[in-house]
Coordinates of all heavy atoms in Angstrom, one line a residue:
M1 N 79.2 -16.6 -38.3 CA 79.7 -16.6 -36.9 C 78.6 -17.2 -36.0 O 79.0 -18.0 -35.1 CB 80.0 -15.2 -36.5 CG 80.7 -15.1 -35.2 SD 81.5 -13.6 -35.0 CE 81.1 -13.1 -33.5
S2 N 77.4 -16.9 -36.1 CA 76.3 -17.4 -35.3 C 76.2 -18.8 -35.5 O 75.8 -19.6 -34.6 CB 75.0 -16.6 -35.7 OG 73.9 -17.2 -35.0
C3 N 76.3 -19.3 -36.8 CA 76.2 -20.7 -37.1 C 77.3 -21.5 -36.4 O 77.0 -22.6 -35.9 CB 76.2 -20.9 -38.5 SG 76.0 -22.7 -39.1
S4 N 78.5 -21.0 -36.4 CA 79.6 -21.8 -35.7 C 79.5 -21.8 -34.2 O 79.7 -22.8 -33.6 CB 81.0 -21.2 -36.1 OG 81.1 -19.8 -35.6
N5 N 78.9 -20.8 -33.6 CA 78.6 -20.7 -32.2 C 77.6 -21.8 -31.9 O 77.7 -22.5 -30.8 CB 78.1 -19.3 -31.8 CG 79.2 -18.5 -31.1 OD1 80.3 -19.0 -30.8 ND2 78.9 -17.3 -30.9
S6 N 76.5 -21.8 -32.6 CA 75.5 -22.7 -32.5 C 76.0 -24.2 -32.6 O 75.5 -25.1 -31.8 CB 74.4 -22.5 -33.5 OG 73.3 -23.4 -33.3
L7 N 76.8 -24.4 -33.6 CA 77.4 -25.7 -33.8 C 78.2 -26.2 -32.6 O 78.2 -27.3 -32.2 CB 78.2 -25.7 -35.1 CG 78.7 -27.1 -35.6 CD1 77.5 -28.0 -35.8 CD2 79.5 -26.9 -36.9
V8 N 79.0 -25.3 -32.1 CA 79.9 -25.6 -30.9 C 79.0 -25.9 -29.7 O 79.2 -26.9 -28.9 CB 80.8 -24.4 -30.5 CG1 81.5 -24.6 -29.2 CG2 81.8 -24.2 -31.7
Q9 N 77.9 -25.2 -29.5 CA 77.0 -25.5 -28.4 C 76.3 -26.8 -28.6 O 76.2 -27.6 -27.6 CB 75.9 -24.3 -28.3 CG 76.4 -23.1 -27.8 CD 75.4 -21.9 -27.8 OE1 74.4 -22.1 -28.4 NE2 75.6 -20.9 -27.0
V10 N 76.0 -27.2 -29.8 CA 75.3 -28.5 -30.0 C 76.3 -29.6 -29.7 O 75.9 -30.6 -29.1 CB 74.8 -28.6 -31.5 CG1 74.4 -30.0 -31.8 CG2 73.6 -27.6 -31.6
H11 N 77.6 -29.4 -30.1 CA 78.6 -30.5 -29.9 C 78.8 -30.6 -28.3 O 78.9 -31.7 -27.8 CB 79.9 -30.1 -30.5 CG 80.0 -30.4 -32.0 ND1 80.0 -31.7 -32.5 CD2 80.0 -29.6 -33.1 CE1 80.0 -31.7 -33.8 NE2 80.0 -30.4 -34.2
K12 N 78.8 -29.5 -27.6 CA 79.1 -29.6 -26.1 C 77.8 -30.3 -25.5 O 78.0 -31.1 -24.6 CB 79.1 -28.2 -25.5 CG 80.5 -27.5 -25.8 CD 80.5 -26.2 -25.2 CE 81.9 -25.5 -25.4 NZ 82.0 -24.2 -24.8
L13 N 76.6 -30.0 -26.1 CA 75.4 -30.6 -25.5 C 75.4 -32.1 -25.8 O 75.1 -32.9 -24.9 CB 74.1 -30.0 -26.1 CG 72.8 -30.6 -25.7 CD1 72.6 -30.5 -24.2 CD2 71.7 -30.0 -26.5
V14 N 75.8 -32.5 -27.0 CA 75.9 -33.9 -27.3 C 76.9 -34.6 -26.4 O 76.6 -35.7 -25.9 CB 76.3 -34.1 -28.8 CG1 76.6 -35.6 -29.1 CG2 75.1 -33.7 -29.7
E15 N 78.1 -34.1 -26.1 CA 79.1 -34.7 -25.3 C 78.5 -34.8 -23.9 O 78.8 -35.8 -23.2 CB 80.3 -33.8 -25.3 CG 81.1 -34.0 -26.6 CD 81.5 -35.4 -26.8 OE1 82.0 -36.1 -25.9 OE2 81.4 -35.8 -27.9
Q16 N 77.8 -33.8 -23.4 CA 77.3 -33.9 -22.0 C 76.2 -35.0 -22.0 O 76.2 -35.7 -21.0 CB 76.6 -32.5 -21.7 CG 76.0 -32.5 -20.3 CD 76.9 -32.6 -19.2 OE1 78.1 -32.2 -19.3 NE2 76.6 -33.3 -18.1
L17 N 75.3 -35.1 -22.9 CA 74.4 -36.1 -23.0 C 74.9 -37.5 -23.0 O 74.5 -38.5 -22.4 CB 73.4 -35.9 -24.1 CG 72.5 -34.7 -24.0 CD1 71.6 -34.5 -25.2 CD2 71.6 -34.8 -22.8
R18 N 76.1 -37.7 -23.8 CA 76.7 -39.0 -23.9 C 77.4 -39.3 -22.6 O 77.3 -40.5 -22.1 CB 77.9 -38.9 -25.0 CG 77.3 -39.0 -26.3 CD 78.5 -39.1 -27.4 NE 77.9 -39.1 -28.7 CZ 78.6 -38.7 -29.8 NH1 79.8 -38.2 -29.7 NH2 78.0 -38.8 -30.9
L19 N 77.9 -38.3 -21.9 CA 78.5 -38.6 -20.5 C 77.4 -39.0 -19.6 O 77.6 -40.0 -18.8 CB 79.2 -37.3 -20.1 CG 79.8 -37.3 -18.7 CD1 81.0 -38.3 -18.7 CD2 80.3 -36.0 -18.2
E20 N 76.3 -38.3 -19.6 CA 75.2 -38.7 -18.6 C 74.6 -40.0 -19.0 O 74.3 -40.8 -18.1 CB 74.1 -37.6 -18.7 CG 74.6 -36.3 -18.1 CD 73.5 -35.2 -18.3 OE1 72.3 -35.5 -18.6 OE2 73.8 -34.0 -18.1
A21 N 74.5 -40.4 -20.2 CA 74.0 -41.7 -20.6 C 74.9 -42.8 -20.3 O 74.4 -44.0 -20.0 CB 73.7 -41.7 -22.1
S22 N 76.2 -42.6 -20.2 CA 77.2 -43.6 -19.9 C 77.3 -43.9 -18.4 O 77.9 -44.9 -18.0 CB 78.5 -43.3 -20.5 OG 79.1 -42.2 -19.9
M23 N 76.7 -43.0 -17.6 CA 76.8 -43.2 -16.1 C 76.0 -44.4 -15.7 O 74.9 -44.6 -16.1 CB 76.4 -42.0 -15.4 CG 77.2 -40.8 -15.6 SD 76.6 -39.3 -14.7 CE 76.8 -39.7 -13.0
E24 N 76.6 -45.2 -14.7 CA 75.9 -46.3 -14.2 C 74.9 -45.8 -13.1 O 75.3 -45.0 -12.2 CB 76.8 -47.3 -13.5 CG 76.2 -48.6 -13.2 CD 77.2 -49.6 -12.7 OE1 78.3 -49.6 -13.2 OE2 76.8 -50.5 -12.0
R25 N 73.7 -46.2 -13.2 CA 72.6 -45.7 -12.3 C 72.3 -46.8 -11.2 O 72.4 -48.0 -11.4 CB 71.3 -45.5 -13.0 CG 71.5 -44.5 -14.2 CD 71.5 -43.1 -13.9 NE 71.7 -42.3 -15.1 CZ 72.1 -41.1 -15.1 NH1 72.4 -40.5 -14.0 NH2 72.1 -40.4 -16.2
I26 N 71.9 -46.3 -10.1 CA 71.5 -47.2 -9.0 C 69.9 -47.3 -9.0 O 69.3 -46.2 -9.2 CB 72.0 -46.7 -7.6 CG1 73.5 -46.6 -7.6 CG2 71.4 -47.6 -6.5 CD1 74.0 -45.9 -6.3
K27 N 69.4 -48.5 -8.9 CA 67.9 -48.6 -8.9 C 67.4 -47.9 -7.7 O 67.9 -48.0 -6.6 CB 67.5 -50.0 -9.0 CG 67.9 -50.7 -10.3 CD 67.2 -52.0 -10.4 CE 67.6 -52.6 -11.8 NZ 66.8 -53.8 -12.1
I28 N 66.3 -47.2 -7.9 CA 65.7 -46.4 -6.7 C 65.2 -47.4 -5.7 O 65.3 -47.1 -4.6 CB 64.5 -45.5 -7.3 CG1 65.2 -44.4 -8.1 CG2 63.7 -44.9 -6.2 CD1 64.1 -43.6 -8.8
S29 N 64.6 -48.5 -6.1 CA 64.0 -49.4 -5.1 C 65.2 -50.0 -4.2 O 64.9 -50.1 -2.9 CB 63.4 -50.6 -5.8 OG 64.3 -51.4 -6.6
L30 N 66.3 -50.2 -4.7 CA 67.5 -50.7 -3.8 C 67.9 -49.5 -2.9 O 68.2 -49.8 -1.7 CB 68.6 -51.1 -4.6 CG 68.4 -52.3 -5.6 CD1 69.6 -52.6 -6.4 CD2 68.0 -53.6 -4.7
T31 N 67.9 -48.3 -3.4 CA 68.3 -47.2 -2.5 C 67.4 -46.9 -1.4 O 67.7 -46.6 -0.3 CB 68.5 -45.9 -3.4 OG1 69.4 -46.2 -4.5 CG2 69.0 -44.8 -2.6
A32 N 66.0 -47.1 -1.7 CA 65.0 -46.9 -0.7 C 65.1 -47.9 0.4 O 64.9 -47.6 1.5 CB 63.6 -46.9 -1.4
V33 N 65.4 -49.2 0.0 CA 65.6 -50.2 1.0 C 66.7 -49.9 1.9 O 66.6 -50.1 3.1 CB 65.6 -51.6 0.3 CG1 66.1 -52.7 1.3 CG2 64.4 -52.0 -0.4
D34 N 67.8 -49.5 1.3 CA 69.0 -49.1 2.1 C 68.7 -48.0 3.1 O 69.2 -48.0 4.2 CB 70.2 -48.8 1.2 CG 70.7 -50.0 0.4 OD1 70.5 -51.1 0.9 OD2 71.4 -49.8 -0.6
L35 N 68.0 -47.0 2.6 CA 67.6 -45.8 3.4 C 66.7 -46.3 4.6 O 67.0 -45.9 5.7 CB 66.9 -44.8 2.6 CG 66.5 -43.5 3.3 CD1 67.8 -42.8 3.9 CD2 65.8 -42.5 2.4
V36 N 65.7 -47.1 4.4 CA 64.9 -47.6 5.4 C 65.6 -48.4 6.5 O 65.5 -48.2 7.6 CB 63.7 -48.4 4.9 CG1 63.0 -49.1 5.9 CG2 62.7 -47.5 4.1
Q37 N 66.5 -49.2 5.9 CA 67.4 -50.1 6.9 C 68.3 -49.2 7.7 O 68.4 -49.4 9.0 CB 68.2 -51.0 6.1 CG 69.0 -52.0 6.9 CD 68.1 -52.9 7.8 OE1 67.1 -53.4 7.3 NE2 68.4 -53.0 9.1
Y38 N 68.9 -48.2 7.1 CA 69.7 -47.2 7.8 C 68.9 -46.5 9.0 O 69.4 -46.4 10.1 CB 70.4 -46.2 6.9 CG 71.2 -45.2 7.7 CD1 72.6 -45.5 8.0 CD2 70.7 -44.0 8.0 CE1 73.3 -44.5 8.6 CE2 71.5 -43.1 8.7 CZ 72.8 -43.3 9.0 OH 73.5 -42.4 9.7
C39 N 67.7 -46.1 8.6 CA 66.9 -45.4 9.6 C 66.5 -46.3 10.8 O 66.5 -45.8 11.9 CB 65.6 -44.8 8.9 SG 66.0 -43.4 7.8
Q40 N 66.2 -47.5 10.4 CA 65.8 -48.4 11.5 C 67.0 -48.8 12.4 O 66.8 -48.9 13.6 CB 65.3 -49.7 10.9 CG 63.9 -49.5 10.3 CD 63.3 -50.7 9.6 OE1 64.0 -51.7 9.4 NE2 62.0 -50.7 9.3
D41 N 68.2 -48.9 11.8 CA 69.4 -49.2 12.6 C 69.8 -48.1 13.5 O 70.4 -48.3 14.6 CB 70.6 -49.6 11.7 CG 70.4 -50.9 10.9 OD1 69.5 -51.6 11.3 OD2 71.1 -51.1 9.9
H42 N 69.5 -46.8 13.1 CA 70.0 -45.7 13.9 C 68.9 -44.9 14.6 O 69.1 -43.8 15.1 CB 70.8 -44.7 12.9 CG 72.0 -45.3 12.4 ND1 72.1 -46.1 11.3 CD2 73.2 -45.3 12.9 CE1 73.3 -46.5 11.1 NE2 74.1 -46.0 12.1
R43 N 67.7 -45.5 14.7 CA 66.6 -44.8 15.3 C 66.8 -44.5 16.8 O 66.2 -43.6 17.3 CB 65.3 -45.5 15.1 CG 65.2 -46.8 15.7 CD 63.8 -47.5 15.5 NE 63.8 -48.8 16.0 CZ 63.6 -49.9 15.3 NH1 63.3 -49.8 14.1 NH2 63.7 -51.1 15.9
R44 N 67.5 -45.4 17.5 CA 67.7 -45.1 19.0 C 68.6 -43.9 19.2 O 68.5 -43.2 20.2 CB 68.4 -46.3 19.6 CG 67.4 -47.5 19.6 CD 68.1 -48.7 20.3 NE 67.4 -50.0 20.0 CZ 66.6 -50.5 20.9 NH1 66.6 -50.1 22.1 NH2 65.9 -51.6 20.6
S45 N 69.4 -43.5 18.3 CA 70.3 -42.4 18.5 C 69.8 -41.2 17.7 O 70.5 -40.2 17.7 CB 71.7 -42.7 18.1 OG 71.8 -43.1 16.7
D46 N 68.7 -41.2 17.1 CA 68.1 -40.1 16.4 C 67.4 -39.1 17.3 O 66.3 -39.5 17.9 CB 67.1 -40.6 15.3 CG 66.7 -39.5 14.3 OD1 66.9 -38.3 14.7 OD2 66.3 -39.9 13.2
P47 N 67.9 -37.9 17.5 CA 67.2 -37.0 18.4 C 65.8 -36.6 17.9 O 65.0 -36.0 18.7 CB 68.2 -35.8 18.5 CG 68.9 -35.9 17.3 CD 69.0 -37.3 16.9
L48 N 65.4 -36.7 16.6 CA 64.2 -36.4 16.2 C 63.1 -37.4 16.6 O 61.9 -37.1 16.7 CB 64.2 -36.2 14.7 CG 65.0 -35.1 14.1 CD1 65.0 -35.1 12.6 CD2 64.5 -33.7 14.7
I49 N 63.6 -38.6 16.9 CA 62.6 -39.7 17.2 C 62.6 -39.8 18.8 O 61.6 -39.8 19.4 CB 63.0 -41.0 16.6 CG1 62.8 -40.9 15.1 CG2 62.1 -42.2 17.1 CD1 63.3 -42.1 14.3
T50 N 63.8 -39.9 19.3 CA 63.9 -39.9 20.8 C 64.4 -38.6 21.2 O 65.5 -38.2 20.9 CB 64.9 -41.0 21.3 OG1 66.2 -40.7 20.7 CG2 64.5 -42.4 20.8
S51 N 63.6 -37.9 22.0 CA 63.9 -36.5 22.3 C 65.2 -36.4 23.2 O 65.6 -37.4 23.8 CB 62.8 -35.9 23.1 OG 62.6 -36.6 24.4
V52 N 65.8 -35.2 23.1 CA 67.1 -35.0 23.8 C 66.7 -34.7 25.2 O 65.8 -33.9 25.6 CB 67.8 -33.8 23.2 CG1 69.1 -33.5 23.9 CG2 68.1 -34.1 21.7
A53 N 67.4 -35.2 26.2 CA 67.3 -34.9 27.6 C 67.5 -33.5 27.9 O 68.5 -32.9 27.3 CB 68.2 -35.8 28.4
A54 N 66.7 -32.9 28.7 CA 66.9 -31.4 29.0 C 68.2 -31.1 29.6 O 68.8 -30.0 29.3 CB 65.8 -31.0 29.9
S55 N 68.8 -32.0 30.3 CA 70.1 -31.7 31.0 C 71.2 -31.7 29.9 O 72.3 -31.1 30.2 CB 70.4 -32.8 32.1 OG 70.4 -34.0 31.5
S56 N 71.1 -32.5 28.8 CA 72.2 -32.6 27.9 C 71.9 -31.7 26.6 O 72.6 -31.8 25.6 CB 72.4 -34.0 27.5 OG 71.3 -34.5 26.8
N57 N 70.8 -30.9 26.6 CA 70.5 -30.2 25.5 C 71.3 -28.9 25.4 O 71.1 -28.0 26.3 CB 69.0 -29.8 25.5 CG 68.5 -29.1 24.2 OD1 69.3 -28.8 23.4 ND2 67.2 -28.9 24.1
P58 N 72.2 -28.7 24.5 CA 73.1 -27.5 24.4 C 72.3 -26.2 24.0 O 72.8 -25.1 24.2 CB 74.2 -27.9 23.4 CG 73.5 -28.9 22.5 CD 72.5 -29.6 23.4
F59 N 71.1 -26.4 23.5 CA 70.3 -25.2 23.0 C 69.4 -24.7 24.0 O 68.7 -23.7 23.8 CB 69.7 -25.5 21.7 CG 70.6 -26.0 20.7 CD1 70.7 -27.3 20.3 CD2 71.4 -25.1 20.0 CE1 71.6 -27.7 19.3 CE2 72.4 -25.4 19.0 CZ 72.4 -26.8 18.6
K60 N 69.3 -25.4 25.1 CA 68.3 -25.0 26.2 C 68.9 -23.7 26.9 O 70.1 -23.5 27.1 CB 68.2 -26.0 27.3 CG 67.1 -25.7 28.3 CD 67.0 -26.8 29.3 CE 66.1 -26.3 30.4 NZ 66.0 -27.3 31.5
D61 N 67.9 -22.7 27.1 CA 68.4 -21.5 27.8 C 68.9 -21.8 29.2 O 68.3 -22.6 29.9 CB 67.2 -20.6 27.9 CG 66.7 -20.0 26.6 OD1 67.6 -19.9 25.7 OD2 65.6 -19.7 26.4
K62 N 70.0 -21.2 29.5 CA 70.6 -21.4 30.8 C 69.9 -20.7 32.0 O 69.8 -21.2 33.1 CB 72.1 -20.9 30.8 CG 72.9 -21.5 29.8 CD 73.1 -23.0 30.0 CE 74.0 -23.6 28.9 NZ 73.7 -24.9 28.5
K63 N 69.3 -19.6 31.7 CA 68.5 -18.8 32.7 C 67.1 -18.6 32.2 O 66.8 -18.5 31.0 CB 69.3 -17.4 32.9 CG 70.6 -17.5 33.4 CD 71.2 -16.2 33.5 CE 72.7 -16.2 34.0 NZ 73.3 -14.9 34.0
S64 N 66.3 -18.5 33.2 CA 64.9 -18.2 32.8 C 64.7 -16.7 32.8 O 65.4 -16.0 33.5 CB 63.9 -18.8 33.8 OG 64.2 -18.3 35.1
C65 N 63.7 -16.3 32.0 CA 63.5 -14.8 31.9 C 62.6 -14.4 33.1 O 61.6 -15.0 33.4 CB 62.8 -14.6 30.6 SG 62.4 -12.8 30.3
V66 N 63.0 -13.3 33.7 CA 62.2 -12.8 34.8 C 61.7 -11.3 34.5 O 62.6 -10.5 34.1 CB 63.0 -12.8 36.1 CG1 62.3 -12.1 37.3 CG2 63.5 -14.2 36.4
L67 N 60.4 -11.1 34.6 CA 59.9 -9.8 34.3 C 59.7 -9.1 35.7 O 59.1 -9.6 36.6 CB 58.5 -9.9 33.6 CG 58.6 -10.5 32.2 CD1 57.3 -10.6 31.6 CD2 59.5 -9.6 31.3
L68 N 60.1 -7.9 35.7 CA 59.9 -7.1 36.9 C 58.7 -6.2 36.9 O 58.2 -5.7 36.0 CB 61.1 -6.2 37.2 CG 62.4 -7.0 37.5 CD1 63.5 -6.0 37.6 CD2 62.3 -7.9 38.6

């Protein structure tokens, strides 16, 4: 019984490895170039690079804290 369980697990592993090996991969260098280009194209609208104006910041506190 243990041998048949082990054999089934090995067959599943082999099928998974065959599936992974048959997948078409994208070269990392091409993906990095695309990512850099995207960042450069959208840098004007990126709030991490160009800060958000205080008047349009939805997370800014509406009232200031006053201690008595």
